[in-house]
Amino acid sequence: NSMKVAELLRWSRPESGEERISLKEYVDRMKEGQSQGFGIIGESTVAVSSSLVLETLRKKGFEVRYMVRSIDEYGLQQLEVDGKL
């Protein structure tokens, strides 16, 4: 059941604007050598986009998700895809 839920979840990312991507798309975009997923948790896209943590991760070329809805963090905690998250 968790994989069915995973197919429904969507997150924003710095480059996507309002477009949301699936967990599979996120994993596919991860930089080679990026062994784990990263998400920036905050109240809004504006708040997380100015995070110093985000700036550091982006400089390293890592793929990052914005987690601004209450379901985002909970949903992610319930899932693991290819051992990366």
Side-chain angles (χ1 to χ4, degrees):
N1 283 341
S2 65
M3 291 313 293
K4 288 180 182 179
V5 172
E7 293 173 8
L8 300 174
L9 295 174
R10 299 287 183 268
W11 289 276
S12 298
R13 48 191 285 276
E15 298 83 4
S16 68
E18 294 299 315
E19 178 188 354
R20 296 186 176 273
I21 64 168
S22 70
L23 188 57
K24 181 181 181 329
E25 289 172 303
Y26 172 79
V27 171
D28 289 345
R29 292 174 187 257
M30 286 173 63
K31 176 182 175 181
E32 187 173 328
Q34 182 176 340
S35 60
Q36 64 182 19
F38 296 101
I40 304 294
I41 301 167
E43 294 179 13
S44 68
T45 302
V46 172
V48 296
S49 65
S50 61
S51 166
L52 295 176
V53 173
L54 175 63
E55 184 178 327
T56 301
L57 293 170
R58 301 271 326 274
K59 283 182 182 178
K60 293 181 179 185
F62 291 150
E63 191 67 27
V64 181
R65 287 163 295 197
Y66 288 164
M67 300 172 64
V68 296
R69 299 174 301 163
S70 56
I71 192 68
D72 292 341
E73 184 179 5
Y74 174 78
L76 189 62
Q77 290 172 353
Q78 305 304 312
L79 303 173
E80 182 173 327
V81 174
D82 295 334
K84 293 187 177 185
L85 302 175

Short mmCIF file of all heavy atoms in Angstrom, two decimals, residues 7-50:
data_model
loop_
_atom_site.label_atom_id
_atom_site.label_comp_id
_atom_site.label_asym_id
_atom_site.label_seq_id
_atom_site.Cartn_x
_atom_site.Cartn_y
_atom_site.Cartn_z
N GLU A 7 3.00 6.92 -5.17
CA GLU A 7 2.69 7.36 -6.53
C GLU A 7 1.80 8.61 -6.53
O GLU A 7 1.78 9.34 -7.51
CB GLU A 7 2.01 6.23 -7.30
CG GLU A 7 2.93 5.06 -7.55
CD GLU A 7 2.22 3.86 -8.16
OE1 GLU A 7 1.03 3.99 -8.53
OE2 GLU A 7 2.85 2.81 -8.25
N LEU A 8 1.09 8.84 -5.45
CA LEU A 8 0.18 9.99 -5.38
C LEU A 8 0.83 11.25 -4.81
O LEU A 8 0.36 12.36 -5.07
CB LEU A 8 -1.04 9.63 -4.52
CG LEU A 8 -1.87 8.46 -5.01
CD1 LEU A 8 -2.96 8.14 -3.98
CD2 LEU A 8 -2.48 8.74 -6.37
N LEU A 9 1.89 11.10 -4.03
CA LEU A 9 2.52 12.25 -3.39
C LEU A 9 3.25 13.12 -4.41
O LEU A 9 3.84 12.62 -5.36
CB LEU A 9 3.50 11.78 -2.32
CG LEU A 9 2.89 11.05 -1.13
CD1 LEU A 9 3.98 10.51 -0.23
CD2 LEU A 9 1.96 11.97 -0.36
N ARG A 10 3.24 14.42 -4.18
CA ARG A 10 3.92 15.39 -5.05
C ARG A 10 4.57 16.45 -4.18
O ARG A 10 4.02 16.88 -3.16
CB ARG A 10 2.93 16.08 -5.99
CG ARG A 10 2.20 15.14 -6.95
CD ARG A 10 3.14 14.64 -8.03
NE ARG A 10 2.50 13.80 -9.02
CZ ARG A 10 2.41 12.48 -8.96
NH1 ARG A 10 2.90 11.85 -7.91
NH2 ARG A 10 1.84 11.79 -9.91
N TRP A 11 5.75 16.91 -4.61
CA TRP A 11 6.47 17.97 -3.91
C TRP A 11 6.94 19.01 -4.90
O TRP A 11 7.20 18.72 -6.07
CB TRP A 11 7.72 17.40 -3.21
CG TRP A 11 7.42 16.57 -2.03
CD1 TRP A 11 7.18 16.99 -0.76
CD2 TRP A 11 7.32 15.14 -1.99
NE1 TRP A 11 6.94 15.91 0.06
CE2 TRP A 11 7.02 14.77 -0.67
CE3 TRP A 11 7.46 14.14 -2.94
CZ2 TRP A 11 6.86 13.46 -0.28
CZ3 TRP A 11 7.29 12.83 -2.56
CH2 TRP A 11 7.00 12.51 -1.23
N SER A 12 7.08 20.23 -4.41
CA SER A 12 7.71 21.29 -5.19
C SER A 12 9.22 21.15 -5.01
O SER A 12 9.69 20.53 -4.06
CB SER A 12 7.29 22.67 -4.67
OG SER A 12 5.92 22.85 -4.81
N ARG A 13 9.96 21.76 -5.91
CA ARG A 13 11.41 21.81 -5.79
C ARG A 13 11.85 23.18 -6.26
O ARG A 13 11.08 23.89 -6.92
CB ARG A 13 12.08 20.69 -6.57
CG ARG A 13 11.61 20.51 -7.97
CD ARG A 13 12.11 19.23 -8.62
NE ARG A 13 13.49 19.29 -9.02
CZ ARG A 13 13.91 19.81 -10.16
NH1 ARG A 13 13.06 20.34 -11.01
NH2 ARG A 13 15.19 19.81 -10.45
N PRO A 14 13.06 23.61 -5.94
CA PRO A 14 13.47 24.98 -6.27
C PRO A 14 13.28 25.36 -7.74
O PRO A 14 12.86 26.46 -8.04
CB PRO A 14 14.95 25.00 -5.89
CG PRO A 14 15.08 23.97 -4.82
CD PRO A 14 14.09 22.90 -5.18
N GLU A 15 13.55 24.44 -8.64
CA GLU A 15 13.48 24.75 -10.06
C GLU A 15 12.09 24.63 -10.66
O GLU A 15 11.87 25.01 -11.81
CB GLU A 15 14.42 23.82 -10.85
CG GLU A 15 15.87 23.98 -10.48
CD GLU A 15 16.27 23.21 -9.25
OE1 GLU A 15 15.46 22.47 -8.68
OE2 GLU A 15 17.42 23.37 -8.81
N SER A 16 11.13 24.07 -9.93
CA SER A 16 9.84 23.75 -10.54
C SER A 16 8.77 24.81 -10.38
O SER A 16 7.70 24.68 -10.96
CB SER A 16 9.32 22.42 -9.98
OG SER A 16 8.97 22.56 -8.61
N GLY A 17 9.01 25.84 -9.60
CA GLY A 17 7.97 26.85 -9.38
C GLY A 17 6.78 26.21 -8.70
O GLY A 17 6.91 25.57 -7.68
N GLU A 18 5.61 26.35 -9.30
CA GLU A 18 4.39 25.78 -8.72
C GLU A 18 4.18 24.32 -9.12
O GLU A 18 3.35 23.64 -8.55
CB GLU A 18 3.18 26.61 -9.13
CG GLU A 18 3.18 28.01 -8.55
CD GLU A 18 3.16 28.01 -7.03
OE1 GLU A 18 2.38 27.25 -6.43
OE2 GLU A 18 3.95 28.77 -6.44
N GLU A 19 4.92 23.86 -10.13
CA GLU A 19 4.78 22.47 -10.58
C GLU A 19 5.28 21.52 -9.49
O GLU A 19 6.30 21.75 -8.86
CB GLU A 19 5.60 22.26 -11.84
CG GLU A 19 5.57 20.85 -12.36
CD GLU A 19 6.54 20.62 -13.51
OE1 GLU A 19 7.16 21.60 -13.97
OE2 GLU A 19 6.69 19.47 -13.90
N ARG A 20 4.55 20.46 -9.27
CA ARG A 20 4.94 19.46 -8.27
C ARG A 20 5.41 18.20 -8.99
O ARG A 20 4.89 17.86 -10.04
CB ARG A 20 3.78 19.13 -7.35
CG ARG A 20 3.35 20.34 -6.52
CD ARG A 20 2.31 19.94 -5.51
NE ARG A 20 1.98 21.07 -4.67
CZ ARG A 20 2.64 21.39 -3.57
NH1 ARG A 20 3.65 20.67 -3.17
NH2 ARG A 20 2.27 22.42 -2.85
N ILE A 21 6.41 17.54 -8.40
CA ILE A 21 6.94 16.32 -9.00
C ILE A 21 6.67 15.13 -8.09
O ILE A 21 6.51 15.26 -6.89
CB ILE A 21 8.46 16.43 -9.29
CG1 ILE A 21 9.26 16.60 -8.00
CG2 ILE A 21 8.73 17.56 -10.27
CD1 ILE A 21 10.75 16.43 -8.18
N SER A 22 6.65 13.96 -8.71
CA SER A 22 6.42 12.73 -7.96
C SER A 22 7.70 12.28 -7.26
O SER A 22 8.80 12.77 -7.56
CB SER A 22 5.95 11.62 -8.90
OG SER A 22 7.01 11.22 -9.75
N LEU A 23 7.55 11.34 -6.36
CA LEU A 23 8.70 10.80 -5.66
C LEU A 23 9.64 10.11 -6.64
O LEU A 23 10.86 10.25 -6.56
CB LEU A 23 8.24 9.82 -4.58
CG LEU A 23 9.31 9.31 -3.63
CD1 LEU A 23 10.03 10.44 -2.93
CD2 LEU A 23 8.68 8.38 -2.60
N LYS A 24 9.09 9.39 -7.60
CA LYS A 24 9.93 8.72 -8.61
C LYS A 24 10.72 9.74 -9.42
O LYS A 24 11.91 9.57 -9.65
CB LYS A 24 9.09 7.86 -9.54
CG LYS A 24 9.93 7.14 -10.58
CD LYS A 24 9.10 6.32 -11.52
CE LYS A 24 9.90 5.57 -12.55
NZ LYS A 24 11.12 6.14 -13.02
N GLU A 25 10.06 10.84 -9.82
CA GLU A 25 10.76 11.88 -10.57
C GLU A 25 11.88 12.48 -9.72
O GLU A 25 12.97 12.75 -10.22
CB GLU A 25 9.79 12.99 -10.97
CG GLU A 25 8.82 12.59 -12.06
CD GLU A 25 7.77 13.65 -12.28
OE1 GLU A 25 7.07 14.02 -11.32
OE2 GLU A 25 7.66 14.11 -13.43
N TYR A 26 11.60 12.69 -8.45
CA TYR A 26 12.61 13.24 -7.54
C TYR A 26 13.82 12.31 -7.48
O TYR A 26 14.96 12.75 -7.64
CB TYR A 26 12.02 13.44 -6.14
CG TYR A 26 13.06 13.83 -5.14
CD1 TYR A 26 13.53 15.14 -5.07
CD2 TYR A 26 13.62 12.89 -4.29
CE1 TYR A 26 14.51 15.49 -4.17
CE2 TYR A 26 14.60 13.24 -3.38
CZ TYR A 26 15.05 14.55 -3.32
OH TYR A 26 16.03 14.90 -2.44
N VAL A 27 13.59 11.02 -7.27
CA VAL A 27 14.69 10.06 -7.18
C VAL A 27 15.46 10.01 -8.49
O VAL A 27 16.69 9.98 -8.50
CB VAL A 27 14.17 8.66 -6.77
CG1 VAL A 27 15.26 7.61 -6.88
CG2 VAL A 27 13.62 8.70 -5.34
N ASP A 28 14.75 10.03 -9.61
CA ASP A 28 15.40 10.01 -10.92
C ASP A 28 16.30 11.22 -11.14
O ASP A 28 17.31 11.14 -11.83
CB ASP A 28 14.37 9.94 -12.05
CG ASP A 28 13.66 8.60 -12.13
OD1 ASP A 28 14.15 7.61 -11.51
OD2 ASP A 28 12.62 8.53 -12.80
N ARG A 29 15.94 12.35 -10.54
CA ARG A 29 16.71 13.59 -10.71
C ARG A 29 17.90 13.70 -9.75
O ARG A 29 18.72 14.59 -9.89
CB ARG A 29 15.82 14.81 -10.49
CG ARG A 29 14.77 15.00 -11.55
CD ARG A 29 13.86 16.16 -11.13
NE ARG A 29 12.74 16.31 -11.99
CZ ARG A 29 12.63 17.24 -12.93
NH1 ARG A 29 13.61 18.10 -13.11
NH2 ARG A 29 11.58 17.31 -13.68
N MET A 30 17.96 12.81 -8.78
CA MET A 30 19.03 12.89 -7.79
C MET A 30 20.39 12.73 -8.45
O MET A 30 20.58 11.91 -9.35
CB MET A 30 18.84 11.82 -6.70
CG MET A 30 17.72 12.15 -5.75
SD MET A 30 17.32 10.84 -4.56
CE MET A 30 18.82 10.70 -3.63
N LYS A 31 21.33 13.53 -8.00
CA LYS A 31 22.69 13.52 -8.51
C LYS A 31 23.33 12.17 -8.21
O LYS A 31 23.12 11.59 -7.14
CB LYS A 31 23.45 14.64 -7.79
CG LYS A 31 24.91 14.74 -8.11
CD LYS A 31 25.53 15.86 -7.31
CE LYS A 31 27.03 15.90 -7.51
NZ LYS A 31 27.64 16.97 -6.72
N GLU A 32 24.13 11.68 -9.15
CA GLU A 32 24.86 10.44 -8.90
C GLU A 32 25.72 10.65 -7.65
O GLU A 32 26.39 11.67 -7.52
CB GLU A 32 25.74 10.10 -10.09
CG GLU A 32 26.39 8.74 -9.97
CD GLU A 32 27.12 8.32 -11.21
OE1 GLU A 32 26.68 8.70 -12.32
OE2 GLU A 32 28.12 7.62 -11.09
N GLY A 33 25.65 9.72 -6.75
CA GLY A 33 26.38 9.86 -5.49
C GLY A 33 25.55 10.47 -4.37
O GLY A 33 25.99 10.49 -3.22
N GLN A 34 24.37 11.00 -4.69
CA GLN A 34 23.48 11.51 -3.64
C GLN A 34 22.79 10.31 -3.02
O GLN A 34 21.93 9.70 -3.62
CB GLN A 34 22.45 12.48 -4.22
CG GLN A 34 21.54 13.08 -3.17
CD GLN A 34 20.57 14.11 -3.71
OE1 GLN A 34 20.76 14.67 -4.78
NE2 GLN A 34 19.51 14.37 -2.96
N SER A 35 23.21 9.95 -1.82
CA SER A 35 22.75 8.71 -1.21
C SER A 35 21.45 8.85 -0.43
O SER A 35 20.89 7.85 0.00
CB SER A 35 23.84 8.16 -0.28
OG SER A 35 24.12 9.10 0.74
N GLN A 36 21.00 10.07 -0.24
CA GLN A 36 19.74 10.27 0.49
C GLN A 36 19.00 11.45 -0.06
O GLN A 36 19.57 12.29 -0.74
CB GLN A 36 20.00 10.47 1.98
CG GLN A 36 20.80 11.72 2.30
CD GLN A 36 21.09 11.85 3.78
OE1 GLN A 36 21.01 10.90 4.52
NE2 GLN A 36 21.41 13.04 4.22
N GLY A 37 17.71 11.48 0.22
CA GLY A 37 16.89 12.60 -0.21
C GLY A 37 16.93 13.74 0.79
O GLY A 37 17.19 13.52 1.97
N PHE A 38 16.69 14.94 0.31
CA PHE A 38 16.67 16.12 1.17
C PHE A 38 15.38 16.88 0.98
O PHE A 38 14.93 17.08 -0.15
CB PHE A 38 17.85 17.05 0.86
CG PHE A 38 19.19 16.44 1.13
CD1 PHE A 38 19.95 15.93 0.10
CD2 PHE A 38 19.67 16.36 2.42
CE1 PHE A 38 21.18 15.36 0.34
CE2 PHE A 38 20.90 15.79 2.67
CZ PHE A 38 21.66 15.29 1.64
N GLY A 39 14.80 17.31 2.07
CA GLY A 39 13.61 18.13 2.03
C GLY A 39 13.76 19.29 3.00
O GLY A 39 14.29 19.12 4.10
N ILE A 40 13.33 20.44 2.58
CA ILE A 40 13.36 21.63 3.44
C ILE A 40 11.93 21.86 3.92
O ILE A 40 11.01 22.04 3.13
CB ILE A 40 13.85 22.87 2.67
CG1 ILE A 40 15.23 22.63 2.05
CG2 ILE A 40 13.86 24.09 3.57
CD1 ILE A 40 16.34 22.45 3.05
N ILE A 41 11.75 21.82 5.24
CA ILE A 41 10.43 21.95 5.85
C ILE A 41 10.22 23.40 6.27
O ILE A 41 11.10 24.03 6.87
CB ILE A 41 10.33 21.03 7.09
CG1 ILE A 41 10.54 19.58 6.68
CG2 ILE A 41 8.99 21.22 7.80
CD1 ILE A 41 10.76 18.64 7.84
N GLY A 42 9.04 23.93 5.95
CA GLY A 42 8.73 25.30 6.35
C GLY A 42 7.27 25.62 6.14
O GLY A 42 6.49 24.79 5.67
N GLU A 43 6.90 26.84 6.47
CA GLU A 43 5.51 27.28 6.40
C GLU A 43 5.05 27.58 4.98
O GLU A 43 3.86 27.51 4.69
CB GLU A 43 5.32 28.52 7.26
CG GLU A 43 5.51 28.27 8.73
CD GLU A 43 5.33 29.53 9.56
OE1 GLU A 43 4.81 30.54 9.03
OE2 GLU A 43 5.68 29.50 10.74
N SER A 44 5.98 27.96 4.11
CA SER A 44 5.61 28.33 2.75
C SER A 44 6.80 28.16 1.81
O SER A 44 7.94 28.05 2.25
CB SER A 44 5.15 29.80 2.69
OG SER A 44 6.26 30.64 2.94
N THR A 45 6.51 28.17 0.52
CA THR A 45 7.58 28.09 -0.47
C THR A 45 8.53 29.26 -0.34
O THR A 45 9.74 29.10 -0.45
CB THR A 45 6.97 28.04 -1.90
OG1 THR A 45 6.10 26.91 -1.97
CG2 THR A 45 8.03 27.93 -2.95
N VAL A 46 7.99 30.43 -0.07
CA VAL A 46 8.83 31.62 0.10
C VAL A 46 9.78 31.43 1.28
O VAL A 46 10.97 31.73 1.19
CB VAL A 46 7.95 32.88 0.30
CG1 VAL A 46 8.79 34.08 0.67
CG2 VAL A 46 7.13 33.15 -0.94
N ALA A 47 9.27 30.90 2.38
CA ALA A 47 10.10 30.70 3.57
C ALA A 47 11.22 29.70 3.32
O ALA A 47 12.37 29.95 3.68
CB ALA A 47 9.24 30.25 4.75
N VAL A 48 10.92 28.57 2.70
CA VAL A 48 11.95 27.55 2.50
C VAL A 48 12.93 27.93 1.40
O VAL A 48 14.09 27.52 1.43
CB VAL A 48 11.36 26.14 2.24
CG1 VAL A 48 10.60 25.65 3.45
CG2 VAL A 48 10.50 26.11 1.01
N SER A 49 12.50 28.74 0.44
CA SER A 49 13.39 29.11 -0.66
C SER A 49 14.53 30.02 -0.20
O SER A 49 15.53 30.14 -0.88
CB SER A 49 12.62 29.76 -1.80
OG SER A 49 12.07 30.98 -1.39
N SER A 50 14.40 30.62 0.97
CA SER A 50 15.46 31.49 1.48
C SER A 50 16.30 30.79 2.56
O SER A 50 17.12 31.44 3.21
CB SER A 50 14.86 32.78 2.02
OG SER A 50 13.98 32.51 3.10
#
